[in-house]
Amino acid sequence: MSSPTVEIPARGGDITSVQPITTETRKPLSKKEISADHPTWCPGCGDFSVLALYFKLIEKRKMWHEKITTIAGIGCSSRFPYFVQAHGAHYIHGRALPFASGISLSRPDLHVFVFGGDGDAFSIGGNHFNHTARKNIRMTYVVMDNWVYGLTKKQTSPTSPLGFKSKTDVTGAVDYPINPMKQAIAAGATFVARTTHSNPAHVMQMMEAAMDHDGFSFVECLSECVEFYEGAFDASNPRKGGVFNLVPADHDVTNEMAAYKLADEGFPGRFGIFYKVNKPTKNAKEIALNKGAMEKVNGLKDWQILQKTFDRMK
Ligand SMILES: Cc1ncc(C[n+]2csc(CCOP(=O)(O)OP(=O)(O)O)c2C)c(N)n1
Ligand code: SF4
Ligand SMILES: [Mg+2]
């Protein structure tokens, strides 16, 4: 049986173009072809759900090994790339975004996905988060927020609520937590969404919308740490007596103030796309700069340009 003709979304084609669109006639990758080591997470960890949905996304959207890259920093959640049979890296704590930026800018044909935790994203990597967002570099960043440092066995994280008892705050957290949604919008992210591991269909919907966005897309995914913060998200889970409230249907995703207002609602808050605007990406700007520079040298090869520079120095 011949395989169906499939549309490769935005990324997936020629490396010199920002919006390559090609058609491919290949079978989608199966879960077996995408999964690597068996995840070492604790049984019941919310991160399993995100990984399973990433596999589904790759299969559903017919992405190929050579057209995706999976990057992470350090943490339980950041072990993610170990479990994916694809190109990727488990990089330095808090430095996943600059590493992914280099990949995205040099290979605009790739779908760049970054996964990590709240500590990796907002503590040690906080600076990079702000700058990658403001530069609008094309990638999808999914932060698996469990409100705690899991890998290092229960320290207060930047999203831990006041009063949370941990090894670093034995009598309860005293520092005000950050609000990832507000921070992402303020930093300049052009796609900002919120979801939770306990609603797989919604996680999938948000990851799909994020990967289709032409720019820096950020998804905060609540992901329970059953070992060090059990029950943290029960109030957002109808199966645990909580409520799962979507972003209202009439919310204008291009309205920054309306997005802040949604982000300001107390926990469990809203789930869905809070903010989405179209702005030129750094990828597009760099391609234009490179094209202009190449036109000036009349299409000479790199070594010829170098030779000319040496000749001028003589
Ligand atoms: C430079 C550096 N500082 C500190 C650590 C120790 N460390 C490893 S993971 C981590 C926190 C991870 O928390 P988070 O990103 O929330 O991931 P989780 O384990 O909760 O998924 C810390 C402090 C490190 N590996 N490298
Ligand atoms: S310690 Fe927490 S975050 Fe880490 S694998 Fe276990 S449940 Fe998941
Ligand atoms: Mg964490």
Side-chain angles (χ1 to χ4, degrees), residues 29 32 40 57-58 212 231 258:
L29 292 175
K32 199 171 161 207
T40 47
L57 180 75
I58 293 172
D212 285 340

Side-chain angles (χ1 to χ4, degrees), residues 32-240:
K32 199 171 161 207
E33 289 167 311
I34 319 161
S35 46
D37 292 355
H38 182 73
T40 47
W41 293 315
C42 308
C45 175
D47 297 351
F48 279 103
S49 164
V50 183
L51 181 68
L53 292 158
Y54 185 50
F55 290 156
K56 261 198 170 168
L57 180 75
I58 293 172
E59 192 175 343
K60 179 175 175 199
R61 298 301 297 268
K62 300 178 178 80
M63 290 184 271
W64 324 117
H65 281 126
E66 73 278 14
K67 290 297 177 192
I68 34 176
T69 181
T70 314
I71 310 295
I74 301 288
C76 289
S77 40
S78 293
R79 297 182 73 81
F80 208 91
Y82 279 137
F83 314 135
V84 184
Q85 189 65 266
H87 302 288
H90 181 222
Y91 197 52
I92 305 168
H93 195 23
R95 309 291 183 254
L97 291 180
F99 186 72
S101 297
I103 298 171
S104 174
L105 292 172
S106 56
R107 288 290 305 272
D109 58 316
L110 298 185
H111 293 271
V112 180
F113 292 92
V114 186
F115 294 90
D118 38 311
D120 196 72
F122 309 124
S123 278
I124 193 164
N127 194 18
H128 297 303
F129 179 66
N130 289 333
H131 293 292
T132 315
R134 87 180 161 85
K135 292 175 186 178
N136 198 24
I137 301 175
R138 280 188 4 160
M139 68 181 76
T140 293
Y141 188 26
V142 179
V143 173
M144 292 129 95
D145 190 358
N146 56 12
W147 292 358
V148 67
Y149 290 179
L151 186 75
T152 44
K153 300 186 164 51
K154 202 177 190 178
Q155 291 82 24
T156 301
S157 101
T159 51
S160 304
L162 286 174
F164 173 62
K165 287 192 179 138
S166 73
K167 288 185 181 132
T168 42
D169 280 294
V170 287
T171 56
V174 292
D175 296 320
Y176 303 103
I178 66 140
N179 180 319
M181 303 301 281
K182 280 191 188 171
Q183 184 150 341
I185 302 162
T190 49
F191 178 103
V192 182
R194 185 167 180 261
T195 187
T196 172
H197 76 102
S198 56
N199 190 330
H202 193 262
V203 175
M204 182 74 171
Q205 219 184 320
M206 292 303 104
M207 285 210 289
E208 263 200 282
M211 73 164 257
D212 285 340
H213 179 69
D214 186 22
F216 181 76
S217 52
F218 166 70
V219 180
E220 183 201 18
C221 179
L222 304 179
S223 183
E224 184 176 344
C225 172
V226 290
E227 190 66 26
F228 300 117
Y229 208 152
E230 200 181 1
F233 308 130
D234 284 0
S236 62
N237 185 350
R239 286 190 299 279
K240 302 261 179 85

